Amino acid sequence: MVPPRPPAAAARRRVVSALLLAWLTSAVALTGAVIAPAHAELPDGADPLAVTIDRLTPGQIPRSGNITISGTITNRDDQPWTTLNVYPYRSLTPMTTAAEVAGSLSVDTHQEIGARVTDPGPYQTIDELDPGQTTTYSITVPRSRLGLTEQGVYWFGVHVLAQRDAPRDGIADGRALTLMPLVDTGRRVPDRQPVSVVVPLRSQVTYAPDGSLADPEGFAELLGSGGRLGALVDLGLQAARRGKAAHLTWLVDPAVVDAAARLAAGNPPRSIAPTIDPDATSGSSASPDPTENPTDDSTDDSTDEPTSPASTLTASGQASAGSDDASPSGETSSTSPVPNPPDSVDPSSLDPTLEAAADRAASFLADLSRVLESGGQVLALPYGDVDLAAAAEYDDEAYPRARRRSGDTLGSLGIATSPGLATPSGFLDLAGIDAAEPDETLLLTDRAIRGGAAAAVVRTVDGHRVVTTSGGTSEGGPGAQPLSTLSLRQRILSDAAVRALAGEQGRPLVVVLPKWWTPDDPAALLSQLRTAWTRVATVGKATDGLAATPVRGDLRYPGWERDAELPASSFATSAQLVDTGDTLQQVLTLNDQVGSLVSAQAFTGVSYADRRNPAVASRALIGATSYLTTLLGRITVSTPPGVTLSSASGGLPATIVNHLDQPVTVALDVHSTPPMKVRVPQSVEVEPDGQVSVLLEATTEQEGLHNVTISLTDRNGAAIGSEASLPIRAAEVSNVIWLVIGSGAGLLLVAIVVRVVRRIRGERPGSQRTSGPAELAEPTS
C-alpha cells in the first residue's frame, strides 16, 4: 500500500505540472512561429527581403581607407518586417583562378561562404518595412575591419537581418553579394593588366515598303536615354566626361546610324526624285530620235535570244550605279549631285509623336558623334549586321556587298571607321571566317576555340587574324542581377585580377558587352576599371604587337548556333529586292541613289537580329519588292493589234508610256517566233507623265505569221515587267499584191492592143464607111 502524499507535496506537484504544461504550450507555439513558413508564397530559396547593390566604391579592396556600398531593400513578403539591421559581408578565402571566378555564378549564396562584419554592430538600422515597400541603405566599412590579407577575388556585399513575430534566429532575411578583387598594389606592378571593352551598337532595323522606318516610335525608344542604344551612347558620354572615351572600342552597324538619320529627318519614304543635277546632263543625256538612227546591232534571234542590246549607256556616258557593285557599295554618279537631297520632311508637317521621335533621333546622333569623336576605336560591322555564317552558305555576294556598303565612314556623321566583325554570340564557322575581308578586326569568343580560356588572345584561323574575347566575362557576375552594370563591372575586374596575379599581363582581357544588353547605370561601368594594376585600352592598342598563335582543328561551332542561322529563303528574298532596286535606278534618268537605299533595306532583312523571327523580316522584304515592282509597272509599252509587212522589211510601231512623275530611260527587248531581225534604239527617254512612239525596223525572209513580243528593260537589259505581243504577217502577202498588179497590167495591155488594132483597120484605103440611119437615102425632088 502506497502511503498518501503530504498535501504540500501534492500542491507542489500540481504547480510544477501547470508550469511544465505552460512551458510546453509556449514552446510549441514558439517553435511553430519559428518554423512556420512566414513567406510561403515566395519561390523556393527566395528571401523575404530583396536586396540590391547599386553602388560600390571602390571596385577593388583597397590597401587602406573605406569601402562604401549602397542599394535598395524591398519587402516582398505579405507581412511587415521590423528592425532591419544591415551588415557588411565578405568571404574569408579568395578565388585565385579564372575557373573559380566562373564557378561563382552557380554558387548558392545562402550557404556559409563567409562571415558578416559585426564590429561595431549594425552598420545601419531600418525601423520597419511594410509589404511591397522599398527603402535605400548605404553603409561604409573601413578596410581594416575586413581582416583580409591574401590576394584574389572575394565575395563582398551585405546581409540584412530583420525581425517579425519571433526572436531573431541569426539567419539573413535578405542578402546581396558581388565579386571584389584584392590585388596588393603595394608591390611594384611591372605592367598593368590591359582591359578592352567593346561596345556593340547593333539592333534590328525594319523598313516599311515605301522605305520609311516601319516602327518609328519603337525605334525612337531604343535611341532614348532609357532605351538600349541610348543607354550605350550615354555610357560613352559618361566616359567622355571622365576623359576615358578614348579607351573604348565601338562596334557599330552603319544601318543603325542611317536609320537614326532617317528618323531625325522626319522618317521620309524612299524618294525617286532627281539626285543628279539636270543641268549637268542637259544636251547630252537626251536620247536620240529612235526613229532616225536605230542601231546596227540587230541580231538574228534564231536561238530565241534577245535581239536588242543587253545594256547601253546614255549618250552622256553616265555610268549606272547598277545591279552589281555600285549600288550596294553606296557609290554615286560622277555627275553633279542635287544641292538639296529629296529625302527630308518639313518638320511643321509632322504629328507630335513623330516629331518627338525625330527630336530623339537627332539628339542620339549628336551624342553619338561626340562620343565617337573622342578618339576611341570605331569598328564598322558589315551593313545591316549580315548573318555571315548563313551568307557564306547561301549567298556569297551578300557579305562583300554589305561590307562595301559600310564604307569607311559612318554616313552623315563622317566618323572614320575600320572594318570589324563580331557576331552576337561570338561564334563563327570556318566558312564565315574565310568569307571575311583580310583587313577586318575579327573578334571571336574564347569558347569558340578549344582550351581558349587559357590560350593566347591573338590567334590565326585559316590565315585570318582573330582576337579572342572573354565569353565568361560577358555573362556578368553572380546573384539575382548578373548583368547589372555594377555586377558586370565587378566581373571584369575579377577576371583581370586573376590574370594579373597569374603573371599574365601579356594576355589582355577583351570583353564584348553582352548582346542586346542595356546598362542600368551607364556611369558605373568604367568608373572603377582603371586601377593601379589595370589599364583600359582599345582592342587595337591592347593587342598591337602580340604574336598570333595558329588554330589548327580547334575551332568550335555549336549545333545550336548552326540551327539558328537564317534560311536560304531569306537571302533569296533579299537578293530579289536588291535586283529590283537596281532596275528602278537604271530606269530613272536622274536618280543614281535609289538602288543604294533599297540595297540598304535588303541587308537589314538578313541580319543576326532577324534570326529571332526570319519570317517577319522576309515579309518586309517581299512587301518592299512588291512596292518597287508596282512603280516599275507604271511604265508600259503597247503595240497595234497586228502588222502586215508590205515587203520583206517594214516598220513595227510601239508606244512607251511613263506614268511616273520622273523622267525614265528604258530599252526594248524583242523576241519573235519564228525568228526575225528587229532593229531597236539603244535607249528611249520618256518625260514625266509622257509617252514616246517608236518605229522599229523588222526584217525577215521567212514567209508566214510571226509572233513578236516587245518587252521593256532597263539600260542593262533587266526586264521591267511590261510587254506587248502582236502578230506580223510577212512575205506571202507581197506575192498576192504583185499578182494583182501584174494581172491588172496585163488586162490594160490587152485593152490597149485591141483598141489600136481596130483603129488601124478602120483607116485602110478602099474600106467602106458604114453609114448611119440618116445616110441611107437621100430625099427626091
Side-chain angles (χ1 to χ4, degrees), residues 578-601:
V578 171
D579 292 343
T580 306
D582 290 341
T583 298
L584 178 61
Q585 177 171 303
Q586 285 296 310
V587 167
L588 294 172
T589 306
L590 297 176
N591 189 305
D592 62 351
Q593 295 180 12
V594 68
S596 179
L597 295 176
V598 172
S599 68
Q601 178 178 353

Side-chain angles (χ1 to χ4, degrees), residues 443-469:
L443 306 178
L444 288 184
T445 176
D446 52 15
R447 294 175 175 177
I449 301 173
R450 291 179 176 85
V457 173
V458 181
R459 312 294 293 265
T460 56
V461 180
D462 239 19
H464 291 263
R465 190 175 187 269
V466 173
V467 175
T468 57
T469 67

Side-chain angles (χ1 to χ4, degrees), residues 496-735:
V498 294
R499 292 195 183 195
L501 294 175
E504 298 178 348
Q505 287 86 355
R507 290 183 64 232
L509 178 66
V510 181
V511 182
V512 178
L513 297 181
K515 59 180 179 180
W516 327 129
W517 177 69
T518 302
D520 56 281
D521 184 4
L525 183 66
L526 300 177
S527 61
Q528 303 292 327
L529 285 187
R530 188 179 186 277
T531 69
W533 47 274
T534 59
R535 62 184 177 92
V536 183
T538 63
V539 172
K541 291 182 179 179
T543 60
D544 185 34
L546 294 182
T549 303
V551 174
R552 296 186 177 90
D554 294 328
L555 191 66
R556 294 182 59 248
Y557 192 66
W560 56 263
E561 179 75 9
R562 188 174 299 281
D563 293 340
E565 292 176 4
L566 290 175
S569 59
S570 295
F571 288 89
T573 305
S574 176
Q576 184 180 14
L577 178 56
V578 171
D579 292 343
T580 306
D582 290 341
T583 298
L584 178 61
Q585 177 171 303
Q586 285 296 310
V587 167
L588 294 172
T589 306
L590 297 176
N591 189 305
D592 62 351
Q593 295 180 12
V594 68
S596 179
L597 295 176
V598 172
S599 68
Q601 178 178 353
F603 295 137
T604 62
V606 287
S607 72
Y608 280 101
D610 295 320
R611 283 183 170 189
R612 291 177 287 185
N613 201 333
V616 171
S618 291
R619 282 197 295 269
L621 298 184
I622 292 172
T625 302
S626 178
Y627 181 89
L628 298 181
T629 302
T630 300
L631 288 181
L632 291 170
R634 298 177 69 181
I635 310 169
T636 61
V637 60
S638 61
T639 61
V643 173
T644 299
L645 298 184
S646 61
S647 63
S649 63
L652 176 58
T655 301
I656 302 170
V657 181
N658 175 24
H659 293 287
L660 297 176
D661 59 358
Q662 301 298 327
V664 298
T665 302
V666 297
L668 297 173
D669 179 25
V670 181
H671 287 275
S672 173
T673 305
M676 67 187 309
K677 295 180 179 180
V678 181
R679 300 176 66 193
V680 298
Q682 285 186 325
S683 61
V684 180
E685 184 172 324
V686 189
E687 294 300 315
D689 295 311
Q691 68 179 39
V692 171
S693 295
V694 181
L695 188 61
L696 312 180
E697 183 180 344
T699 304
T700 182
E701 296 178 356
Q702 183 174 352
E703 300 179 353
L705 190 65
H706 296 255
N707 294 312
V708 177
T709 300
I710 301 176
S711 305
L712 287 181
T713 72
D714 66 13
R715 287 169 285 187
N716 282 340
I720 294 175
S722 177
E723 63 180 26
S725 299
L726 75 161
I728 296 180
R729 188 170 297 279
E732 63 179 0
V733 176
S734 63
N735 292 336

Side-chain angles (χ1 to χ4, degrees), residues 317-366:
Q318 174 190 336
S320 161
S323 59
D324 188 15
D325 295 340
S327 173
S329 66
E331 296 174 359
T332 58
S333 171
S334 60
T335 54
S336 302
V338 173
N340 298 313
D343 287 357
S344 60
V345 174
D346 183 3
S348 63
S349 66
L350 300 178
D351 63 73
T353 302
L354 187 54
E355 183 178 7
D359 291 341
R360 186 174 298 177
S363 178
F364 170 84
L365 290 173

